[in-house]
Each structure stands twice: as structure tokens, then as C-alpha cells.
Amino acid sequence: QVQLVESGGGLVQAGDSLRLSCAASGRTFSPLAMGWFRQAPGKEREFVAAVSWRSSFTYYADSVKGRFTISRDNAKNTMYLQMNSLKPEDTAIYFCAASQGPPTSQPSGYKFWGQGTQVTVSS
């Protein structure tokens, strides 16, 4: 089993930045692809970004491309999501997830999930 714990969420104003972290423990962090998803009230969980084990591959949703950056530090068993130029529509609970397969935008491709961290962007 892999346990994932997100942190770094909060309340910010439009245009501000936040960095989310996802700390993994339990089974080895590798070779797991990792991803970030988010879910706003009344909406389905949606893909945000994904990164391969060696960070050779990153993939972003169009809505965050150019504003968000996914990264990971395997030595620290931690993944990050740097979020810049935040918009009110970025308000959601953000979840990190780990996949035993390749990085994917599909939630069904991830076996392990964190509990989420709330990000609220005011206008």
C-alpha cells in the first residue's frame, strides 16, 4: 500500500500562487506515475497534471497549461504542484494519486489516492 498526504492548500486571491505537496509513504515511491486531480462542488473529479516516475513525461489539462507545473523529488518521496496565476475557477479540492501503470489523465488509472487539500481562490 501507498499512503498519500496532500498539503499546501489555502485561501488566496486571484493572481496569487500556491504550491501543493503530496508526501508518499508505505510501499516504495517507485516506480509509480503520479498525478493531480481536482474536484469542485457539484462537479466530477477532473485531471490536472501527471508526471512519470523519472519526470521524463509531464502532461497537463488545457485549463492549467502554462500556469501550473508538476514535479517530483523521488529522494523525498514527494510530488509538487506549483500553481501560478490562480483563478476563481481553480477553486476545488485537490487530490494526488499514484499509478502502478503509465501516467494518465483517467482517474481509473490510479490505484492510490490522498484525502485532498482545499484550494479556494477569491476574485
Side-chain angles (χ1 to χ4, degrees), residues 23-120:
S25 62
R27 209 197 79 179
T28 178
F29 192 51
S30 64
L32 297 173
M34 303 287 293
W36 287 99
F37 290 78
R38 65 188 183 186
Q39 188 166 17
K43 295 187 177 181
E44 293 186 352
R45 191 167 298 190
E46 66 171 355
F47 170 73
V48 175
V51 60
S52 60
W53 155 237
R54 296 189 183 280
S55 302
S56 56
F57 172 83
T58 57
Y59 178 35
Y60 297 92
D62 288 343
S63 59
V64 306
K65 200 172 295 182
R67 299 188 298 121
F68 291 10
T69 302
I70 190 172
S71 62
R72 65 190 294 169
D73 184 340
N74 291 342
K76 296 182 178 180
N77 287 349
T78 303
M79 177 180 65
Y80 305 97
L81 185 68
Q82 178 66 43
M83 305 186 295
N84 299 329
S85 302
L86 283 161
K87 304 175 181 180
E89 50 263 44
D90 294 318
T91 295
I93 299 174
Y94 283 71
F95 299 89
C96 69
S99 169
Q100 294 177 309
T104 175
S105 63
Q106 299 301 311
S108 59
Y110 293 84
K111 182 176 182 179
F112 306 104
W113 291 84
Q115 293 300 306
T117 185
Q118 177 71 47
V119 172
T120 303

